[in-house]
Amino acid sequence: MNTSRIQTLGLLWILMVMSISAFSQGVTKVSGNVYDSQTKEPLPFVNISFEGTSVGTTTDLDGYFEIDSRFVTENLCASFLSYKTQCQRIEIEGKNKRMEFMLEPESIQIENVTIVAKKGKYKKKGNPAVELMRKVIDNKKENRLEGQDYYSYDQYERIEIDLNNITEEFKERKIFNKFDILWQYLDTSDVNGKVFLPIYLREVDSKVYYRKDPKAEKEYREAIRMTKFDESIDDKSLTDALDFLYQDVNVYDNTIHLLDNNFISPLSPLAINFYRFYILDTTYVNGINSIRLGFIPRNKANFGFTGDLYVSNDSSAHYVVRADFGIIGNINLNFVRDLQVRQDFVPYEDAYIITRDDVTIDYSVTKNGVGFYGTRTVAYDNFSFEAAEDPEVYDNSEKVIIKDGAYDIDRSYWSQNRMVSLTENQEDLYEMIDTLVELPAYKRLVTGVRILTTGYLPFKKFDVGPLPTFFSFNQVEGARVRVGAETNFGFSKRLLIDGYGAYGFKDEKFKYKGALTYSFNDDWKVNPRHYLRAVYQKEATFPGQDLQFIQQDNFLLSARRGATNRMVFENELRLEYTKETPGFAMDFWFSDKNSFPYGDLELPFINEAGETELLTDLETTSLGFGIEIAPNKQFIQGRQYRTPIINQYPIWTLRYEKSFDGLFGSEYDYHKVELGFFKRFNMATLGHANIGIEAGKIWGTLPYTALFIPRANQSFAYQRESFNMMNFLEFVSDDYVFFRAEHFFKGFFFNRIPLLKKLGLREIASFKMVYGRLSDRNTPDPELNPELPTFTNNVDGVPLTYIFGDEPYMEGSIGITNIFKVLRVDLVKRLNYLDNPDVPELFNTKGLGIRARFKVEF
C-alpha cells in the first residue's frame, strides 16, 4: 500500500503513534514449548491463547511460542488437532513467564474412521481428510455461485473501524483533555474484553449482477453513507482505499487477495500440497449435517490461512457450509495483529448461496499499542438466477458503478433499506463525529494532520506549500528557494488558482508558474475529473527527468550523482481539457513552448555560410490528445497527485501530438505518437509482478533535445519507472520501445530464513530495458543535417549524448524491502554501455549503485 495522503487516515495514524509509549508497561509476556506427552517430540502449529479470548499465537516448527498482551485471563491454553486441550494458570502478570505444555493424544471417531495423532507426523496418502478435500475441490465449479449462468442479489455492506486497546492511561494523556466527548461512546468486546471506540462507519447499499458467458460481474451502488471528518476529503478516494483494504473474499477462488498479498485458498488445487487437513468431528451448521475439517499451512513460512472448513456430510455435493479461518501467528504481514474471515453457505434452489460474510482485521503499528479493529459485514437478499431484465447492466466496463447522488441519500432511506440494523453505538457514531468535527481542539489537530500529510500550511482561502520544495539545490541553479500557494474550498470549490515563484542564487534567475483550473464538477477534487486548465510556466528542467508523483525540486531529490549541469529552460503556455468517466479518460491540450539550452548545455550547428553557431532557442506550437483505458482504476487522493492503487486490471494509454510550422512562431513540424501498457500479475505464493511496456515514434525533424529521451535518474532515490544508472540526456532516439518488470516476492525466500523472517524482510527484483533508433533525418551529422545541433561534448571533447547501438540499454536490480516496514534498498547494476562517460561506479565496479526509497506496505 502507498503512503496515504488522506487526512482521515493520517489522523488515525497519529492517534496510534501518540499512544505507543502508553503501552510499554503492564504487558504479560509468556514463552515456552509444547511437546507430545508420549513421544516428547515438539509439536508445531499448536494454538496458544488466553482462555476465553482471541489473544493468542501458534507454535513454530520447534514447538516454541511467544505471546505478550495487556489483555489476559488467568489461564493460558494449548490446543491442537487430535490432542486434548490443556490449560495452565498464569501466576505472574506483567513479567516474563516460561511455560511448558505436554499434550496427550486423543482419538476421534467419525463414521467408522478413527484418527489418532502419532508423533506429530502427517501423511497425505490414506488420509480421509485429504480424500474429502479432493472431492470438495473437484466439485467446486458446480458448487460455487459462479457456476450458475446468471445470478443477482441485493447486498448491504458495512465497514466499521474501531480504536482498540484503550486503557485509562491512554484516556488520561494530555492531548485528549479537550476530547472528553469520545469516552462517552466506549464499548467493550465480548470476545477479549478489550475496550474500543467506534470512530468510522461506512454503509453501502448495492445490487449485484453476474453473467457467466461472456463473463460479467457488476455491483451497482445505490447509496453510500459514511462518517465525515473533513470536507476536503474526497469521498470516492476514501471509498477506493476501503475497497482496496476489504476486497471480496471468495473461498472458492484459487487465490484470495487481501491487503495486497496473495493467500492460497484451502479450495485451490494447490491446497492439497500447501495445507495439512484434519477431520475433527461432525456437527450441524445452519441445520446441515457437516464434517469439520481443520487446516494449517504445511510450512509456517508460507502466506496461508489456518482455520476450519465445514463440508456437507453427503455422498455427492461436498459443498462448503461454513468457512472460518484466519492467519497463522507471526506471519510476515505488516501492521496486522490478526485477521479473521467467516462465511456461511446454504442450499437455495439449485445453487449454494452465501448468507454471511464477515472479515475482521486488527491493525496496529506496535504489538501492544493502540490499534484498530476494521470489520466488514456483508448481508445478502433477493437472490435470483434469471438474466437481468435490462441486458445493459452487464455492459459497463467498471466492476463497481456508483450511482449519481449516492453519497447524498438521506437517513430515511437507510432506515427502510438497511438489511442489518445498527447497534446503539453505531447509530450514535454519526452524531459523535458531527459533534467532534466542530470542536476547536479537533480542528487544530486536523490542521496539524493536513500539514504533515500534504506539506501545505492552511489558511482561510488559500494554502501555502508544498514545504519540501521550499529549499533545494542543483549544479546549475545552486541554492534554490521557492514559495508556492493554491486556493482552497474557502475560496471556491470549482475554481482553483495555484502557482509559485522560485529563485536560484547561482544562476540569479527567477522562475515561476501560474495556473487556473475550472472544474465542471461540483468541486475540483471530485473523481472522475472534468476540468479546463490554463498554465503559464518559466522553469529550468533536466531533459529526460519525468517524476510522476513528486516535485522535481523536492529537497530529498537535490543530492544527485555525477554531473547535473545540462538543463533546459522552458517558457510554456499550456491549455488543457480533461474529461474522465469510470475506466476511461481523455485529455486535449494546446502548447506554445520556447526552450533554451541552460547551464553547460550547448547546441552548436552549421549555418548557411558554413559557420558554427549556437542554437539559442527552440519554439514549438502543438496540439495533442491522450486516451487512457483503465477499467476499475482506483486512487489515493493526494494534494497535488492522485496515487493509483495498483490492482489486477490493465491500463492502456495513447498519446498523440502534432506541431505546426509557422503557427505562433513555431519552427518545427512533427507528429509524435506514444503507446503504453501496464498490468499487475498475481502469482499466488510467488507474490506479484508489475509489467510495463511503452513504444513511441516521431515523424519530422527536430533538435535532439526535443526527441525521445529515456527517463533517467541521477538522484539516490530509487525510481521505479526510470533508469537509475543512466545519466540525463545520455541517449536520444526518434522511435523507441521500453520494457520494465518488477517482481515482489513478498518474502517467499526470506521467510525460510529465521532471522530474515523475524525482521520481516522481503525480496524484490527488477529488470528494465530501452531500445531506440535515430533516423537519418534527425541524425546530428554536419554532413547529413548541418542545420541540426550536434551532441554536447564534455571538457575533453567526448560526446555526452549517444545513439543506441546494436543492443538495448539494460539494467537490473535486486533489493530488500520492508526494512523497518518503511524502507526499500536496491543494489542496481547497469548491464551495458559501460564505456560511456560518467557511468556511476561502486566497489570498483562500473554501473553499480545502491538506491533507496520509502514505501509503506502490508
Side-chain angles (χ1 to χ4, degrees):
M1 177 183 178
N2 291 318
T3 305
S4 175
R5 299 181 185 181
I6 303 175
Q7 291 96 314
T8 301
L9 299 183
L11 172 61
L12 304 183
W13 185 271
I14 284 177
L15 287 174
M16 285 196 295
V17 173
M18 289 188 307
S19 67
I20 291 175
S21 62
F23 289 85
S24 59
Q25 299 177 351
V27 176
T28 298
K29 298 183 178 181
V30 184
S31 63
N33 292 81
V34 182
Y35 301 96
D36 184 300
S37 63
Q38 296 180 359
T39 67
K40 304 302 186 288
E41 292 188 359
L43 293 177
F45 310 132
V46 177
N47 294 316
I48 307 294
S49 63
F50 292 104
E51 188 174 27
T53 78
S54 63
V55 178
T57 187
T58 58
T59 58
D60 62 17
L61 295 174
D62 299 317
Y64 178 77
F65 69 89
E66 289 182 353
I67 182 171
D68 53 281
S69 176
R70 295 174 55 89
F71 302 92
V72 303
T73 57
E74 292 182 348
N75 294 320
L76 185 69
C77 299
S79 60
F80 189 46
L81 311 175
S82 304
Y83 284 81
K84 294 179 181 180
T85 298
Q86 183 182 128
C87 296
Q88 296 185 28
R89 184 179 179 83
I90 300 176
E91 298 177 354
I92 302 176
E93 185 174 334
K95 297 182 180 180
N96 294 337
K97 177 72 174 178
R98 177 138 185 105
M99 306 182 73
E100 187 175 280
F101 291 89
M102 306 294 293
L103 298 189
E104 297 181 9
E106 67 176 354
S107 300
I108 300 175
Q109 183 74 29
I110 303 177
E111 294 188 355
N112 300 321
V113 177
T114 301
I115 301 174
V116 180
K118 285 187 178 181
K119 299 184 180 180
K121 292 184 178 180
Y122 176 85
K123 294 182 179 180
K124 290 191 299 178
K125 187 175 182 180
N127 186 338
V130 172
E131 296 306 315
L132 178 58
M133 280 308 303
R134 292 189 193 275
K135 294 176 182 179
V136 174
I137 294 171
D138 289 342
N139 282 274
K140 74 174 188 175
K141 287 185 178 180
E142 291 74 26
N143 292 340
R144 65 184 300 169
L145 197 56
E146 290 80 2
Q148 301 296 312
D149 292 332
Y150 298 93
Y151 66 71
S152 64
Y153 53 79
D154 296 335
Q155 175 178 293
Y156 168 76
E157 177 200 62
R158 182 166 67 218
I159 293 178
E160 178 181 344
I161 298 178
D162 307 318
L163 194 66
N164 66 22
N165 276 13
I166 296 176
T167 65
E168 290 301 320
E169 299 100 309
F170 179 73
K171 290 162 57 177
E172 292 172 1
R173 292 179 70 84
K174 186 176 180 179
I175 193 170
F176 296 117
N177 288 348
K178 304 295 184 180
F179 297 98
D180 289 341
I181 183 178
L182 295 174
W183 316 134
Q184 301 176 24
Y185 299 90
L186 292 176
D187 205 345
T188 303
S189 171
D190 295 331
V191 177
N192 54 31
K194 292 184 181 181
V195 178
F196 67 89
L197 174 70
I199 54 175
Y200 179 83
L201 192 67
R202 185 188 83 173
E203 300 177 89
V204 180
D205 185 43
S206 306
K207 185 74 174 183
V208 175
Y209 297 91
Y210 171 83
R211 181 183 63 196
K212 185 176 181 179
D213 189 21
K215 186 176 181 180
E217 185 175 4
K218 310 296 175 186
E219 178 188 349
Y220 286 85
R221 295 185 172 177
E222 303 288 333
I224 302 174
R225 186 186 183 194
M226 61 177 66
T227 48
K228 295 283 290 184
F229 289 90
D230 186 16
E231 68 170 5
S232 65
I233 297 172
D234 173 51
D235 289 336
K236 179 62 169 62
S237 184
L238 186 53
T239 295
D240 285 348
L242 288 173
D243 288 345
F244 168 78
L245 292 177
Y246 290 91
Q247 299 183 41
D248 290 334
V249 173
N250 189 336
V251 71
Y252 281 100
D253 286 342
N254 293 333
T255 302
I256 295 174
H257 195 73
L258 271 176
L259 301 174
D260 204 28
N261 287 281
N262 300 319
F263 295 82
I264 296 294
S265 168
L267 269 65
S268 167
L270 300 176
I272 298 299
N273 294 317
F274 186 86
Y275 290 103
R276 294 182 178 184
F277 291 96
Y278 301 83
I279 292 179
L280 302 182
D281 57 18
T282 58
T283 185
Y284 280 85
V285 177
N286 300 325
I288 301 169
N289 186 12
S290 306
I291 301 173
R292 179 185 170 208
L293 294 100
F295 63 93
I296 192 168
R298 302 184 70 178
N299 186 337
K300 196 177 180 181
N302 290 330
F303 257 61
F305 296 114
T306 182
D308 297 328
L309 288 177
Y310 296 80
V311 178
S312 60
N313 191 7
D314 54 41
S315 60
S316 57
H318 298 297
Y319 67 92
V320 175
V321 179
R322 173 176 292 171
D324 192 352
F325 55 88
I327 55 175
I328 60 176
N330 300 319
I331 193 173
N332 189 354
L333 193 62
N334 292 335
F335 314 118
V336 176
R337 285 187 290 213
D338 198 8
L339 184 153
Q340 294 293 326
V341 178
R342 182 171 180 179
Q343 296 180 324
D344 283 354
F345 302 84
V346 298
Y348 182 83
E349 297 183 2
D350 295 327
Y352 303 98
I353 63 173
I354 186 170
T355 60
R356 175 174 178 171
D357 188 1
D358 297 328
V359 177
T360 301
I361 304 175
D362 186 357
Y363 305 94
S364 179
V365 174
T366 62
K367 279 187 176 182
N368 301 298
V370 160
F372 297 105
Y373 275 138
T375 302
R376 179 181 187 255
T377 301
V378 185
Y380 308 87
D381 199 6
N382 295 328
F383 276 85
S384 172
F385 298 99
E386 303 294 331
E389 293 182 3
D390 181 5
E392 292 186 0
V393 300
Y394 304 112
D395 296 339
N396 197 297
S397 63
E398 297 296 285
K399 184 177 180 179
V400 176
I401 302 95
I402 299 177
K403 180 182 177 181
D404 290 341
Y407 293 97
D408 304 321
I409 303 297
D410 59 32
R411 294 188 178 184
S412 62
Y413 173 92
W414 293 100
S415 61
Q416 299 173 9
N417 293 275
R418 185 183 287 123
M419 294 185 197
V420 181
S421 299
L422 297 181
T423 65
E424 183 178 350
N425 268 13
Q426 290 169 337
E427 288 280 7
D428 292 341
L429 179 56
Y430 289 109
E431 177 186 348
M432 181 192 78
I433 298 302
D434 290 342
T435 305
L436 180 66
V437 297
E438 296 301 322
L439 295 177
Y442 174 83
K443 292 180 179 180
R444 289 193 296 270
L445 182 60
V446 168
T447 298
V449 171
R450 285 186 187 176
I451 294 172
L452 289 174
T453 58
T454 69
Y456 277 81
L457 296 172
F459 293 91
K460 188 174 182 180
K461 294 184 180 296
F462 66 93
D463 299 336
V464 175
L467 298 181
T469 64
F470 178 75
F471 176 79
S472 60
F473 55 90
N474 61 66
Q475 291 182 0
V476 176
E477 297 176 276
R480 168 183 165 124
V481 294
R482 166 177 150 173
V483 177
E486 66 180 36
T487 58
N488 55 37
F489 282 173
F491 175 80
S492 173
K493 287 191 174 184
R494 285 185 178 268
L495 188 64
L496 169 66
I497 303 174
D498 65 287
Y500 66 80
Y503 181 77
F505 287 92
K506 181 178 180 181
D507 65 348
E508 299 181 340
K509 196 173 186 68
F510 283 99
K511 297 91 180 174
Y512 60 85
K513 169 190 169 184
L516 183 69
T517 304
Y518 176 78
S519 173
F520 297 96
N521 296 326
D522 291 336
D523 70 69
W524 43 265
K525 285 188 177 181
V526 71
N527 292 304
R529 292 179 172 179
H530 185 198
Y531 64 82
L532 186 65
R533 180 171 172 84
V535 183
Y536 185 76
Q537 179 171 281
K538 300 186 68 156
E539 185 58 278
T541 64
F542 290 102
Q545 180 173 260
D546 184 13
L547 303 175
Q548 292 184 309
F549 307 115
I550 191 171
Q551 300 281 346
Q552 71 167 9
D553 54 354
N554 189 295
F555 174 76
L556 297 177
L557 299 182
S558 293
R560 296 181 173 93
R561 59 173 176 81
T564 55
N565 49 11
R566 294 187 298 163
M567 300 184 76
V568 173
F569 198 96
E570 296 179 341
N571 299 333
E572 182 181 17
L573 171 64
R574 188 177 182 89
L575 304 177
E576 301 173 351
Y577 172 75
T578 296
K579 170 67 174 176
E580 297 177 344
T581 57
F584 182 82
M586 178 171 282
D587 300 300
F588 296 91
W589 67 84
F590 165 83
S591 172
D592 184 38
K593 181 189 297 184
N594 197 3
S595 301
F596 307 86
Y598 204 55
D600 290 346
L601 178 63
E602 292 184 344
L603 301 178
F605 72 100
I606 307 299
N607 63 20
E608 294 180 354
E611 300 171 336
T612 300
E613 290 189 24
L614 295 178
L615 183 68
T616 57
D617 69 310
L618 188 159
E619 187 163 356
T620 59
T621 302
S622 62
L623 292 172
F625 71 88
I627 295 174
E628 180 184 80
I629 302 173
N632 306 295
K633 191 171 186 179
Q634 299 169 305
F635 301 97
I636 295 292
Q637 181 73 53
R639 181 62 185 252
Q640 293 181 317
Y641 302 103
R642 295 178 303 176
T643 303
I645 298 174
I646 301 176
N647 53 33
Q648 72 269 33
Y649 300 99
I651 299 174
W652 299 88
T653 57
L654 166 66
R655 291 174 65 85
Y656 171 79
E657 186 174 66
K658 173 71 172 75
S659 180
F660 300 87
D661 187 12
L663 181 63
F664 299 113
S666 176
E667 302 168 331
Y668 300 94
D669 192 308
Y670 67 83
H671 301 265
K672 180 189 294 186
V673 175
E674 291 181 281
L675 295 170
F677 168 80
F678 176 84
K679 190 179 187 313
R680 166 169 290 184
F681 295 88
N682 291 316
M683 301 181 182
T685 58
L686 281 174
H688 64 258
N690 296 334
I691 305 295
I693 303 173
E694 297 175 23
K697 186 174 180 61
I698 290 177
W699 291 268
T701 299
L702 285 167
Y704 72 91
T705 55
L707 298 176
F708 287 120
I709 303 172
R711 291 187 292 270
N713 171 38
Q714 289 189 226
S715 76
F716 295 98
Y718 184 88
Q719 294 177 16
R720 296 170 63 176
E721 298 189 18
S722 300
F723 292 96
N724 294 280
M725 293 290 105
M726 183 186 289
N727 296 322
F728 294 136
L729 203 55
E730 184 174 353
F731 295 95
V732 295
S733 62
D734 53 18
D735 62 18
Y736 78 100
V737 60
F738 165 67
F739 172 83
R740 72 180 179 97
E742 191 174 29
H743 194 100
F744 297 80
F745 290 94
K746 293 289 186 175
F748 179 81
F749 300 106
F750 285 177
N751 285 346
R752 288 157 172 78
I753 304 173
L755 176 60
L756 299 183
K757 175 178 171 59
K758 186 172 183 178
L759 294 174
L761 302 181
R762 303 169 185 173
E763 58 284 282
I764 190 170
S766 73
F767 174 76
K768 302 170 188 174
M769 58 177 282
V770 60
Y771 184 71
R773 297 174 301 182
L774 197 61
S775 60
D776 288 344
R777 63 179 177 273
N778 282 313
T779 300
D781 186 330
E783 295 184 2
L784 292 175
N785 303 296
E787 74 283 1
L788 288 179
T790 57
F791 295 146
T792 300
N793 298 332
N794 64 12
V795 293
D796 297 322
V798 178
L800 297 175
T801 302
Y802 292 86
I803 300 171
F804 289 100
D806 295 332
E807 59 184 18
Y809 172 92
M810 297 177 288
E811 68 179 42
S813 71
I814 54 175
I816 299 175
T817 186
N818 208 41
I819 302 172
F820 306 116
K821 298 183 180 181
V822 297
L823 183 64
R824 166 181 173 176
V825 176
D826 284 75
L827 181 67
V828 189
K829 181 65 172 73
R830 173 170 171 155
L831 302 178
N832 55 0
Y833 294 100
L834 298 176
D835 293 331
N836 286 5
D838 298 329
V839 172
E841 184 175 313
L842 181 68
F843 305 133
N844 294 320
T845 302
K846 269 195 170 185
L848 189 67
I850 295 176
R851 302 292 178 264
R853 70 180 273 129
F854 288 102
K855 186 178 189 298
V856 179
E857 60 184 353
F858 283 106

